Amino acid sequence: MSTTTTVDRAFRAALYDDTDAALDTGASLLAADPSADGELARRGERFVGAAWRRGWQPADVVRIVRRELDDLHVRLVSELILKEAGPRPSPGPRWTAQLEDLDAEPPRVPDRFSYATAVLELYRLLLRLPALEPLDAPGRTAAARQPESRMLTRVRALLAKAEATGFPEEAEALSAKAQELMARHSIDEALLAARAHTEDAPGACRIGVDPPYETAKAVLLDAVAAVNRCRAVWHEPFGFSTVIGFEPDLEAVELLYTSLLVQATAAMTKAEAAQREGGRKRTKTFRQSFVAAYAHRIGDRLRAAAEGQVAGTEGELLPVLAARDVAVADRMERMFPDTVTTRVRGVSDAAGWEQGAAAADRALVGERPRTEERPRLP
């Protein structure tokens, strides 16, 4: 029997049937024929390549595998992605970074049957991945990786200090300063492109929104995106949000959202410990309410920092930013013509809400800007 025949028989038995019995049949066929391993891996690389053609990227695939399966499957798919990538040029810097983040350690399995079972479970998932909206704008080529600017280096340093400090007020003040610098950088880039008549178009990236408390985290990402002149669309079943905006703004969103999650978690853990010392044990509801409140209110503080930079610029900036806002809105409408507004659920702990809001508000100085419409609360 040829190796191709073995793989085909295993696929016919297992990939198009969701039952465990079918999976066992396919795994038994593969386990009994070690010579089929090479063909099995080649088929996996084809499944990965098909995912790219359907709009997925390496981080998206790893994320959905981690969400639906387990660590062994993550290692298997990481190995497939790296083999499929091979020596060919990367489509862009984000793609390159995603490949670099993959765990290259080979998966370890106790026996051939377990290995074949895990591979078929992974291939079942890859086979069923739906098409996603392509991230590259029509006619837009991926930019070459540029050396990191001194400003971004400084932003990273500020956010690292914010994550490391044990004082929430200091963390939030450092984050506000980082937002000011990122807003200034975005303004400079927009003016430079306008003065040079550079043809630029909004891009898009996907940012993971992982459990627990995904809704609150998606609201936090939406707030960070809005402040940085981007739009975010949450895909709850896949565990990510798509963020649309110009490249400097997308980079700002990625940096700040990641850092704020770290800071929010640290502040929540500290507040929760104080609650437990007081005899309260509503851990899950406290955490959920804390993150929801933090997300709900953090946009005000970030907006104040960003608006201060816009207010201090020359008059030529407003038409430039207005044109960029229109371009981002147009790109979002073309990518996602049927979006809906979600509702924040599960906010039931008053203490968690109050302390989460306080953690987001501490760094506010001066007059609070008028708040815009927020996601509806229960």
Side-chain angles (χ1 to χ4, degrees):
M1 182 183 299
S2 70
T3 59
T4 301
T5 302
T6 299
V7 173
D8 286 338
R9 289 179 62 203
F11 281 10
R12 283 197 297 270
L15 291 194
Y16 308 100
D17 189 325
D18 290 332
T19 65
D20 290 340
L23 188 67
D24 290 344
T25 298
S28 296
L29 289 167
L30 294 172
D33 187 3
S35 65
D37 289 356
E39 178 63 20
L40 185 64
R42 285 189 288 274
R43 299 288 185 93
E45 292 179 39
R46 293 178 197 169
F47 282 133
V48 167
W52 307 156
R53 292 190 293 274
R54 294 199 294 273
W56 293 72
Q57 295 194 350
D60 306 324
V61 171
V62 170
R63 189 182 300 113
I64 195 68
V65 171
R66 181 176 289 112
R67 189 181 182 93
E68 299 294 332
L69 299 172
D70 57 32
D71 185 62
L72 171 59
H73 301 87
V74 171
R75 290 183 181 276
L76 287 170
V77 80
S78 298
E79 183 178 50
L80 282 177
I81 291 171
L82 290 171
K83 286 182 177 178
E84 194 278 338
R88 70 172 182 269
S90 171
R94 279 198 175 82
W95 193 286
T96 300
Q98 291 175 28
L99 292 178
E100 291 172 350
D101 286 342
L102 293 177
D103 188 348
E105 182 179 346
R108 298 178 182 178
V109 289
D111 54 71
R112 288 192 53 79
F113 181 79
S114 298
Y115 170 77
T117 299
V119 169
L120 290 174
E121 288 172 332
L122 173 62
Y123 290 5
R124 273 182 175 180
L125 177 59
L126 295 177
L127 183 66
R128 290 164 171 75
L129 292 179
L132 297 178
E133 298 77 9
L135 295 184
D136 289 332
R140 183 176 186 267
T141 57
R145 180 181 292 274
Q146 299 294 327
E148 186 165 284
S149 67
R150 292 179 61 187
M151 187 284 303
L152 283 179
T153 301
R154 187 179 176 193
V155 165
R156 291 185 189 276
L158 285 169
L159 293 177
K161 290 180 180 178
E163 294 165 19
T165 182
F167 302 98
E169 295 88 345
E170 182 183 7
E172 291 167 5
L174 289 166
S175 296
K177 182 62 178 176
Q179 175 63 71
E180 290 178 9
L181 290 177
M182 288 186 288
R184 180 70 257 171
H185 177 63
S186 175
I187 289 168
D188 291 343
E189 290 289 324
L191 287 174
L192 182 63
R195 290 167 181 166
H197 303 289
T198 302
E199 291 188 10
D200 198 5
C205 68
R206 299 188 184 110
I207 297 177
V209 181
D210 300 314
Y213 324 124
E214 299 100 312
T215 302
K217 291 176 181 177
V219 173
L220 174 60
L221 178 54
D222 183 76
V224 174
V227 167
N228 287 283
R229 317 192 78 85
C230 297
R231 303 287 187 92
V233 177
W234 182 32
H235 310 255
E236 182 177 7
F238 303 139
F240 62 74
S241 285
T242 300
V243 182
I244 302 101
F246 286 85
E247 189 58 37
D249 303 324
L250 293 177
E251 190 163 33
V253 172
E254 289 178 298
L255 283 172
L256 191 57
Y257 171 70
T258 301
S259 181
L260 286 174
L261 274 185
V262 173
Q263 295 176 52
T265 300
M268 177 183 66
T269 302
K270 186 174 182 180
E272 186 183 47
Q275 290 289 311
R276 286 200 301 267
E277 288 178 2
R280 301 187 62 193
K281 299 181 180 180
R282 290 182 290 171
T283 302
K284 183 177 181 180
T285 57
F286 180 88
R287 287 184 172 186
Q288 187 155 310
S289 299
F290 186 102
V291 176
Y294 189 94
H296 186 64
R297 301 284 288 276
I298 198 68
D300 290 340
R301 178 174 60 82
L302 297 179
R303 189 176 299 106
E307 288 179 349
Q309 294 300 309
V310 175
T313 58
E314 300 174 359
E316 69 173 310
L317 175 66
L318 295 182
V320 172
L321 293 185
R324 289 199 158 206
D325 288 343
V326 169
V328 170
D330 179 67
R331 175 79 195 278
M332 177 180 167
E333 180 63 27
R334 285 186 282 110
M335 287 182 70
F336 306 105
D338 300 311
T339 57
V340 297
T341 302
T342 190
R343 179 182 181 126
V344 181
R345 296 179 177 86
V347 179
S348 57
D349 190 300
W353 178 268
E354 291 169 2
Q355 293 196 39
D361 281 344
R362 287 189 187 100
L364 280 173
V365 293
E367 182 180 354
R368 180 191 296 270
R370 178 180 64 84
T371 57
E372 299 179 358
E373 182 180 355
R374 298 291 190 181
R376 293 179 298 155
L377 301 174

